[in-house]
Amino acid sequence: MRAAASIYKIYAYTCQFEDPTAYKDKVIATGLPASPGAAVGTVVFSADDAETWHSQGKSVILVRTETSPEDVGGMHAAAGILTARGGMTSHAAVVARGWGKCCVSGCSDIIRVNDTEKVAVIGNTVINEGEWLSLNGSTGEVILGKQPLFPPALSGDLETFMSWADKVRRLKVMANSDTPEDALTARNNGAQGIGLCRTEHIFFASDDRIKAVRRMIMAATTEQRKAALNLLLPYQRSDFEGIFRAMDGIPVTIRLLDPPLHEYLPEGDLDQIVSELTAETGMTEDEVFSRIEKLSEVNPMLGFRGCRLGISYPELTEMQARAIFQAAVSMSNQGVKVFPETMVPLVGTPQELRHQVSLIRSVANKVFSEMGTTLSYKVGTMIEIPRAALVADEIAKEAEFFSFGTNDLTQMTFGYSRDDVGKFLPIYLSKGLLQNDPFEVIQMHCFRVLDQRGVGQLIKMATEKGRAARPSLKVGICGEHGGEPSSVAFLAEAGLDYVSCSPFRVPIARLAAAQVAV
């Protein structure tokens, strides 16, 4: 496993500082090393400004109190991300690691971030918009000024070594990618397909898209919801076409919409949210307020999300399935070899999956009839609820593949909210009640280690039960554990067919899979 870690050091950093010892007197704060590498840029305080400045050719550091899905456009445009709040599993940390982007999160030295005045107070230093800041995502250091960088370089020897590793491994390595650009990066890093394409990230790619999503959320009737979804269809289809093109000849697994709907609402206090939605949708303030009340949940991560959305609003699943199959046929007609796989999230019963599979196959048949051609495809599910693992044999009768969502599966198996464990987990660790933090990310390499005794046993059991019911069942994982060497070794020995991880961790997973085989 040391070799895998060494490959990570060589390969994954986007950039590094020329001399990390030279800037020590300019370190103004230290946060969590949430995503490794180094970044230098001028400070901005909003996602919109990050995108605007990036389009002007400027390198920017996005500074936020914390990030939300609404910020992904600016996060993608930024060279690095700095947040005052959030741990190693916060939104900023997880998204940045997936993109191979430098991030320092949970920087408690940040006293105040004022988006309106465009200023931050970090320790005793006031940082204004446009000032230069440098981040070391490997140590968590926040450095004043513009520090010199040098880019990473891949040697021919490394590529030769990785080709040797590929010849001996059995486990396939795929990547979690949400855009055509990420898919191309994954392929260049040796990925053998896309194991997870999260459609929710695509919705935040432009103002027009997010406004259409909000119209869908706020719709009072099925007709209004369908009208909003019709606006989203061409965007989804175009993105899927780009991903299929980038992954010509290898499979692409697209997950249907998963997050709770409230995540797509604007940020701010209630009055601000109501005002913005009133302007966007043309609804009255009372109508908007009533709809927001209905969206409110006590525990949204266990509430109205995943397949529950598609079952309650079948037109949502229909739109996404139509976009997938229209894109697949279109690319196939252009000579691209397409292998689409549609994944239904958060299934806990075979009945839930059966409902969605029936809907997806119905849409596929309609699209094939309309476009005058057919193609092969698979429909499967994420196993991320413990009950799904326990009844995996029943679920396998409806699914052609399983993909273990180990992030949620870990949370639900332990019964811990990863956002709240900080209140009691240190006590558990100090008293020896737990040997390891199940959500801990190994800081230097930003890996999360699989709980093999608990979550791992559910994975093994579900794999065995699933294949007993369907011997041809394809099985893999798509959580953050897919790029951690010891977890990859366990999963290979458990008989999984593939792991899927960040595009930037693909080389580590390739090497770890080879080490198991020799």
Side-chain angles (χ1 to χ4, degrees):
M1 298 309 163
R2 290 178 182 173
S6 298
I7 291 291
Y8 184 83
K9 291 178 184 178
I10 296 169
Y11 199 95
Y13 291 171
T14 52
C15 288
Q16 298 180 56
F17 290 113
E18 286 185 359
D19 183 4
T21 64
Y23 62 68
K24 293 302 181 182
D25 61 335
K26 296 181 180 178
V27 175
I28 58 173
T30 302
L32 297 173
S35 184
V40 175
T42 50
V43 170
V44 296
F45 294 97
S46 74
D48 288 342
D49 287 341
E51 292 187 75
T52 300
W53 289 35
H54 175 73
S55 69
Q56 297 168 356
K58 299 176 181 177
S59 177
V60 300
I61 301 295
L62 178 61
V63 180
R64 302 284 285 160
T65 301
E66 59 186 341
T67 64
S68 73
E70 195 171 8
D71 294 321
V72 293
M75 294 169 69
H76 199 276
I81 302 161
L82 172 63
T83 67
R85 293 203 295 257
M88 296 293 281
T89 58
S90 64
H91 177 266
V94 171
V95 171
R97 286 196 295 273
W99 287 338
K101 190 177 294 288
C102 174
C103 176
V104 175
S105 66
C107 184
S108 59
D109 294 322
I110 299 179
I111 299 171
R112 179 168 59 94
V113 176
N114 190 317
D115 300 343
T116 305
E117 297 180 8
K118 299 185 177 182
V119 64
V121 179
I122 305 178
N124 298 319
T125 306
V126 176
I127 302 293
N128 294 292
E129 182 183 71
E131 293 189 31
W132 285 92
L133 207 61
S134 302
L135 302 178
N136 189 330
S138 305
T139 63
E141 292 169 311
V142 181
I143 309 127
L144 198 61
K146 184 179 180 180
Q147 304 301 321
L149 299 171
F150 71 87
L154 279 178
S155 69
D157 289 343
L158 177 58
E159 291 180 346
T160 300
F161 178 72
M162 293 305 297
S163 70
W164 296 342
D166 290 338
K167 289 178 181 178
V168 300
R169 64 181 169 88
R170 181 198 64 81
L171 192 72
K172 289 186 177 181
V173 178
M174 304 174 79
N176 303 338
S177 301
D178 306 324
T179 67
E181 295 76 19
D182 289 343
L184 191 58
T185 298
R187 184 154 199 167
N188 290 339
N189 286 354
Q192 296 167 280
I194 300 299
L196 174 64
C197 173
R198 294 157 288 209
T199 52
E200 59 266 19
H201 288 177
I202 296 172
F203 289 155
F204 287 99
S206 69
D207 285 343
D208 289 341
R209 298 184 191 206
I210 190 59
K211 286 178 180 178
V213 172
R214 288 171 182 164
R215 289 193 194 101
M216 182 268 292
I217 293 171
M218 302 304 290
T221 66
T222 301
E223 290 70 25
Q224 291 174 350
R225 196 157 37 249
K226 285 183 176 180
L229 290 168
N230 285 338
L231 297 175
L232 287 169
L233 176 61
Y235 294 123
Q236 292 256 277
R237 181 173 59 233
S238 176
D239 288 321
F240 296 152
E241 286 175 349
I243 293 172
F244 288 141
R245 187 182 296 111
M247 306 308 283
D248 184 6
I250 50 181
V252 174
T253 304
I254 298 171
R255 182 181 72 185
L256 300 181
L257 190 65
D258 182 39
L261 295 180
H262 77 272
E263 290 194 4
Y264 298 98
L265 298 180
E267 295 182 294
D269 61 36
L270 185 58
D271 289 340
Q272 288 176 312
I273 295 172
V274 170
S275 176
E276 188 170 338
L277 289 174
T278 298
E280 287 183 7
T281 64
M283 300 168 67
T284 67
E285 289 189 357
D286 286 343
E287 288 172 334
V288 170
F289 186 79
S290 174
R291 183 64 179 144
I292 290 174
E293 278 192 323
K294 290 179 180 178
L295 288 172
S296 177
E297 296 182 277
V298 175
N299 191 344
M301 296 312 292
L302 292 178
F304 192 34
R305 56 169 289 216
C307 68
R308 300 157 195 172
L309 295 171
I311 291 170
S312 301
Y313 302 146
E315 56 273 12
L316 175 57
T317 295
E318 289 172 351
M319 182 279 288
Q320 294 200 286
R322 177 168 287 274
I324 292 168
F325 292 116
Q326 285 182 345
V329 171
S330 175
M331 287 297 96
S332 180
N333 289 342
Q334 296 178 37
V336 176
K337 293 182 180 178
V338 181
F339 300 98
E341 300 183 350
T342 303
M343 184 156 67
V344 181
L346 212 73
V347 161
T349 70
Q351 291 85 356
E352 288 175 317
L353 183 57
R354 187 178 305 127
H355 178 282
Q356 291 290 277
V357 169
S358 175
L359 202 57
I360 291 164
R361 294 200 182 281
S362 174
V363 171
N365 291 335
K366 289 177 184 177
V367 171
F368 295 158
S369 176
E370 293 164 1
M371 301 185 74
T373 188
T374 62
L375 48 79
S376 297
Y377 66 94
K378 292 181 184 294
V379 184
T381 187
M382 290 185 80
I383 304 292
E384 48 196 331
I385 295 175
R387 189 184 192 281
L390 294 169
V391 297
D393 52 341
E394 298 176 39
I395 290 177
K397 294 175 183 177
E398 312 295 335
E400 293 174 289
F401 66 89
F402 284 172
S403 180
F404 293 96
T406 51
N407 299 341
D408 271 339
L409 186 59
T410 297
Q411 183 170 220
M412 294 190 197
T413 299
F414 274 95
Y416 297 162
S417 164
R418 58 187 171 192
D419 297 320
D420 300 310
V421 290
K423 297 176 182 177
F424 62 87
L425 206 54
I427 299 171
Y428 275 42
L429 295 170
S430 67
K431 293 181 179 294
L433 301 180
L434 282 177
Q435 298 304 309
N436 299 292
D437 177 350
F439 304 110
E440 180 183 16
V441 178
I442 298 177
Q443 293 189 350
M444 182 60 188
H445 307 304
C446 291
F447 291 137
R448 185 177 295 169
V449 179
L450 182 70
D451 165 43
Q452 297 180 14
R453 295 182 64 188
V455 178
Q457 297 311 304
L458 282 176
I459 291 173
K460 289 179 71 173
M461 179 185 66
T463 300
E464 292 167 2
K465 289 171 72 74
R467 287 194 174 136
R470 185 188 289 263
S472 63
L473 187 71
K474 177 180 172 181
V475 183
I477 78 156
C478 59
E480 279 199 71
H481 305 90
E484 192 279 312
S486 69
S487 302
V488 171
F490 175 85
L491 296 165
E493 291 170 354
L496 271 66
D497 297 302
Y498 70 91
V499 295
S500 187
C501 57
S502 159
F504 298 92
R505 298 188 201 175
V506 167
I508 300 98
R510 288 164 61 192
L511 181 57
Q515 288 178 315
V516 178
V518 296

